[in-house]
Amino acid sequence: QVEFVESGGDSVQPGGSLTLSCEGVGSAWEYRTIGWLRQAPGKEREAISCITSSSSNIYYADSVKGRFTISRDNSKNTAYLEMNNLRPEDSALYFCALTWGCGSSWLGEHLVRGQGTQVTVSA
């Protein structure tokens, strides 16, 4: 069993940066594929990035490609999402999750997710 705790969300101005953290609690963290998803009010949940256990496969949605960077430190049971050049449309609840199939066709299916951390981008 694994649980996730996200942190790092905040309110920032457009063009700003944030780094979100996802700490995993549980067994076999180093073998888990981790995904980041976001949910904004009135919008569909969006699968934005994922990373496999060894970081060999990484995926980004077009909406964040070139601005967001996913990474992980298995020694700390933590995954990260570095977000640069933030836009108002990036405002959402961001959560990490246990997922699979990380690649160009990743749809964001997940079994376990955290409570999320709020990101608000406004002038």
Side-chain angles (χ1 to χ4, degrees), residues 6-39:
E6 302 93 340
S7 62
D10 204 345
S11 294
V12 297
Q13 294 185 341
S17 298
L18 285 173
T19 297
L20 307 183
S21 298
C22 168
E23 182 177 359
V25 180
S27 62
W29 163 267
E30 64 271 25
Y31 301 115
R32 311 289 190 175
T33 294
I34 305 301
W36 282 98
L37 302 92
R38 65 187 181 186
Q39 179 81 59

Side-chain angles (χ1 to χ4, degrees), residues 2 4-5 9 12-13 17 20 22 26 30 33 37 39 41 46 49 64 67 70 87 92 98 100-102 120:
V2 62
F4 300 95
V5 178
V12 297
Q13 294 185 341
S17 298
L20 307 183
C22 168
E30 64 271 25
T33 294
L37 302 92
Q39 179 81 59
E46 184 180 12
S49 186
V64 305
R67 300 187 299 123
I70 193 171
R87 305 166 180 169
L98 175 64
W100 60 91
C102 182
T120 302

Side-chain angles (χ1 to χ4, degrees), residues 38-56:
R38 65 187 181 186
Q39 179 81 59
K43 295 184 179 180
E44 292 188 0
R45 185 190 67 209
E46 184 180 12
I48 57 174
S49 186
C50 60
I51 185 169
T52 53
S53 57
S54 63
S55 304
S56 58

Side-chain angles (χ1 to χ4, degrees), residues 2-3 10 45-46 57 71 88 90 92-93:
V2 62
E3 298 179 357
D10 204 345
R45 185 190 67 209
E46 184 180 12
N57 276 13
S71 62
D90 294 319
L93 181 69

Side-chain angles (χ1 to χ4, degrees), residues 66-80:
R67 300 187 299 123
F68 290 13
T69 302
I70 193 171
S71 62
R72 64 190 294 163
D73 184 341
N74 289 340
S75 69
K76 297 181 179 179
N77 279 16
T78 302
Y80 305 94

Side-chain angles (χ1 to χ4, degrees), residues 76-112:
K76 297 181 179 179
N77 279 16
T78 302
Y80 305 94
L81 187 68
E82 179 183 352
M83 307 186 296
N84 297 310
N85 192 21
L86 284 161
R87 305 166 180 169
E89 55 264 38
D90 294 319
S91 297
L93 181 69
Y94 286 70
F95 61 92
C96 59
L98 175 64
T99 188
W100 60 91
C102 182
S104 60
S105 60
W106 182 59
L107 298 176
E109 299 97 336
H110 55 279
L111 286 175
V112 179

